[in-house]
Amino acid sequence: MQELNRHTATVKTYTERIIQFGEGNFLRAFANWMIHEMNKKANFDAGVVAVQPIDQGLIKMLNDQDGLYTLYLNGIKNGQAISEHEIIDCIQRGINPYENYIEYLANAENPDLRFVISNTTEAGIAYNPDDTLKDTPQSSYPGKLTALLYKRFQTFGGASDKGMIVIPCELIDKNGDNLKRIILKYAANWNLGDAFVEWINEDNIFCNTLVDRIVPGYPKDKMDAITKELGYKDNLVVEGEQFHLWVIEGPASVKEEIPAEVCGLNIVFTDNMEPYRTRKVRILNGAHTTLVPVGYLYGIDKVRESLEDDVVGGFLKDTIFKEICPTLDLSKEELDQFSNDVLDRFRNPYLEHALISISLNSTSKYKTRVLPSLLEYIKRKNELPNRLLFSLASLIAFYRGYRENEAITLKDDQFVLDFFASQWATGDIPRITKATLSNTDFWGTDLTQFDGLLNRVTNHLENIITNGMKQTLSTL
């Protein structure tokens, strides 16, 4: 069977305009797919040079396939469950700077280079005091990028039109700001000069981003069937869900250089990404956390099955649209669209998310993902959000450690497990509820201070324990 490469596949070649730190599954299923779409539909003509950011990686395998790989997108699209695939051809070549640093640094001399994209894990944007300009290469990603930018600055004499648009995808807050801060720190410590610092500040754009697409990665268990379907051998097949969202915070000029809108891509350009971050945490992550104890105690094991159940699915939809969305500041149209997308993602028949696996550290997750919606609802409406409080009561019931007569494997910080074990040993539900809601170590505030909240949660918890989750939720 033939192998996938540029001799066996009919693909295009593009101008190298993007240098990308990272060659893993996420970037190939996310950013590279979007670049591929813009190349096809908007003549973006953007080729990618993929740089291996750590000593071990996939660059050799990627080069063996001439940068090509097959992407499968599986999920709900336009209301239908769809699995589709195509060859992605935007990566022109890969470089391992640990084996060929000269080739890596030579990219700085390319006058067409305009964009930097990265995904070097959450730990990738970090300062390493041992890095020096003479290293070949520097150990950290910011160190490597500083060396490349300094070489570019020298090559083009600090020309303003040779600055870069830097778009990191690492999952840390203010990723662009943090990356720029570290680069400026290297510039100072390596004595690269005031002119270089001014060029970084004035002629390079560092964007903060929010990225969202579930990427299961290489489908090892299905590769025999996939290879048979494709008719060629591909060692870099990657799977992703249909949904995608890329929020890019930066000046308006960035949008003018990236033709996302004409391609129908869900890329949002903004000067303030915080409402979008809040929306994701409150709706997507908050819905997951709200669902887990309710669905699991109801007798359901998977997220998709929860949405397919009329009672549990109805509870979750009402929670999102009636109690979470009203606490957010984006337009109703945007919130409704995002919420419906989230529900479609939960229904994805190609992904199986176990509720019990999502239950890890549920107490801290409730604090960061759900409690802000609960408190904001009280502030805005001057009334209690009944469903969010029902989920809180369900969470307390979940930490009793039993689903009917079946023991639950609880996974959380030991102090959390010890607290609930000691409380449930009393069997006194009003006492358990009060102790939990007033535990400021859990919530950062005493929740019993809100009028009626303690009684509401206590009543819900008593009904769950006495009557069971199915009957209680059905009559909520």
Side-chain angles (χ1 to χ4, degrees):
M1 181 176 289
Q2 65 183 13
E3 298 184 355
L4 178 63
N5 55 53
R6 291 182 182 265
H7 298 290
T8 60
T10 302
V11 295
K12 292 186 177 181
T13 300
Y14 301 100
T15 303
E16 292 180 357
R17 301 181 59 217
I18 301 169
I19 188 162
Q20 174 175 298
F21 293 83
E23 76 287 13
N25 290 320
F26 181 78
L27 280 182
R28 289 189 291 114
F30 183 75
N32 294 151
W33 169 75
M34 294 192 213
I35 295 164
H36 177 79
E37 289 292 297
M38 289 187 286
N39 285 341
K40 284 194 309 179
K41 299 175 181 178
N43 296 316
F44 191 35
D45 187 27
V48 175
V49 178
V51 177
Q52 187 172 294
I54 58 176
D55 191 20
Q56 301 295 319
L58 300 173
I59 287 299
K60 183 182 184 306
M61 191 179 297
L62 192 64
N63 281 333
D64 286 344
Q65 296 187 179
D66 296 328
L68 305 179
Y69 60 93
T70 309
L71 171 65
Y72 274 79
L73 294 180
N74 306 320
I76 306 296
K77 183 178 181 181
N78 299 324
Q80 301 294 320
I82 292 176
S83 175
E84 52 191 354
H85 65 271
E86 67 177 321
I87 295 172
I88 307 299
D89 64 0
C90 65
I91 297 178
Q92 306 304 291
R93 60 192 173 101
I95 299 174
N96 181 352
Y98 293 86
E99 295 180 353
N100 196 337
Y101 185 72
I102 293 176
E103 183 186 1
Y104 161 69
L105 209 57
N107 285 282
E109 301 172 0
N110 175 5
D112 296 315
L113 206 62
R114 179 57 172 157
F115 301 93
V116 177
I117 295 173
S118 65
N119 185 32
T120 57
T121 77
E122 293 90 325
I125 298 180
Y127 177 77
N128 184 342
D130 296 328
D131 278 345
T132 72
L133 185 60
K134 295 180 180 180
D135 292 338
T136 58
Q138 296 74 23
S139 64
S140 71
Y141 159 49
K144 293 183 184 72
L145 182 56
T146 303
L148 184 82
L149 291 173
Y150 186 60
K151 176 69 172 179
R152 188 169 183 80
F153 169 78
Q154 290 180 311
T155 299
F156 296 103
S160 60
D161 64 343
K162 292 299 183 285
M164 305 290 285
I165 298 175
V166 184
I167 310 176
C169 298
E170 286 81 358
L171 297 176
I172 63 170
D173 192 27
K174 302 293 184 183
N175 45 21
D177 290 346
N178 278 288
L179 180 56
K180 180 179 179 180
R181 174 181 56 79
I182 296 171
I183 286 173
L184 291 175
K185 189 172 183 178
Y186 280 126
N189 292 345
W190 296 353
N191 298 313
L192 302 184
D194 293 341
F196 175 67
V197 170
E198 182 180 356
W199 183 73
I200 289 293
N201 283 323
E202 298 297 327
D203 300 317
N204 292 264
I205 299 171
F206 291 79
C207 301
N208 294 316
T209 69
L210 173 68
V211 299
D212 193 4
R213 168 172 266 175
I214 297 170
V215 178
Y218 180 72
K220 181 179 178 180
D221 296 340
K222 298 186 285 186
M223 277 311 299
D224 287 344
I226 286 175
T227 301
K228 184 177 181 181
E229 177 185 24
L230 296 177
Y232 55 81
K233 184 178 180 182
D234 182 353
N235 293 314
L236 291 169
V237 172
V238 61
E239 285 187 312
E241 66 171 334
Q242 290 283 353
F243 177 86
H244 67 282
L245 170 66
W246 200 353
V247 181
I248 299 176
E249 179 186 88
S253 59
V254 175
K255 180 179 181 179
E256 296 172 4
E257 296 195 43
I258 302 175
E261 192 170 354
V262 298
C263 301
L265 293 172
N266 193 17
I267 301 180
V268 176
F269 298 93
T270 179
D271 60 359
N272 179 15
M273 63 178 291
E274 285 311 306
Y276 298 94
R277 180 181 294 279
T278 301
R279 180 184 70 175
K280 176 181 181 292
V281 172
R282 298 267 191 98
I283 297 178
L284 175 63
N285 304 122
H288 257 157
T289 301
T290 298
L291 170 65
V292 166
V294 177
Y296 193 77
L297 294 180
Y298 193 87
I300 296 174
D301 292 326
K302 301 291 178 64
V303 172
R304 178 176 55 82
E305 295 168 357
S306 301
L307 266 292
E308 291 172 348
D309 183 271
D310 290 341
V311 176
V312 177
F315 165 80
L316 187 63
K317 292 172 197 172
D318 285 345
T319 303
I320 292 172
F321 287 103
K322 296 180 179 180
E323 296 187 0
I324 297 178
C325 286
T327 71
L328 298 170
D329 293 326
L330 292 170
S331 70
K332 185 178 186 301
E333 181 182 7
E334 286 181 284
L335 293 173
D336 286 351
Q337 179 62 57
F338 186 78
S339 299
N340 285 316
D341 286 340
V342 164
L343 294 171
D344 279 346
R345 298 172 77 183
F346 287 1
R347 292 189 193 96
N348 190 344
Y350 301 96
L351 296 175
E352 289 292 355
H353 281 181
L355 293 173
I356 196 65
S357 66
I358 303 172
S359 73
L360 175 69
N361 297 329
S362 282
T363 306
S364 62
K365 285 179 179 175
Y366 193 96
K367 176 186 176 183
T368 58
R369 300 175 173 186
V370 185
L371 188 59
S373 295
L374 189 158
L375 298 179
E376 187 65 21
Y377 187 95
I378 294 173
K379 178 181 176 181
R380 295 189 182 196
K381 301 282 190 178
N382 197 29
E383 61 183 63
L384 298 173
N386 195 43
R387 298 169 188 85
L388 293 176
L389 292 180
F390 183 82
S391 176
L392 180 54
S394 302
L395 183 68
I396 300 172
F398 181 83
Y399 276 89
R400 185 171 67 116
Y402 287 94
R403 178 167 69 173
E404 296 183 348
N405 295 321
E406 171 194 357
I408 300 173
T409 302
L410 300 171
K411 294 183 179 181
D412 210 320
D413 292 328
Q414 194 58 48
F415 82 93
V416 174
L417 299 178
D418 290 344
F419 170 85
F420 280 114
S422 64
Q423 291 300 318
W424 277 109
T426 69
D428 186 338
I429 289 178
R431 171 182 167 175
I432 294 166
T433 310
K434 184 175 182 178
T436 302
L437 297 183
S438 62
N439 190 331
T440 56
D441 290 336
F442 285 180
W443 319 118
T445 188
D446 182 353
L447 296 180
T448 64
Q449 68 180 297
F450 297 97
D451 289 344
L453 193 151
L454 175 60
N455 288 338
R456 184 77 62 88
V457 176
T458 301
N459 290 337
H460 285 322
L461 184 57
E462 286 178 336
N463 285 330
I464 292 168
I465 298 303
T466 303
N467 303 318
M469 177 60 78
K470 286 190 175 182
Q471 180 177 335
T472 304
L473 186 60
S474 297
T475 57
L476 181 64

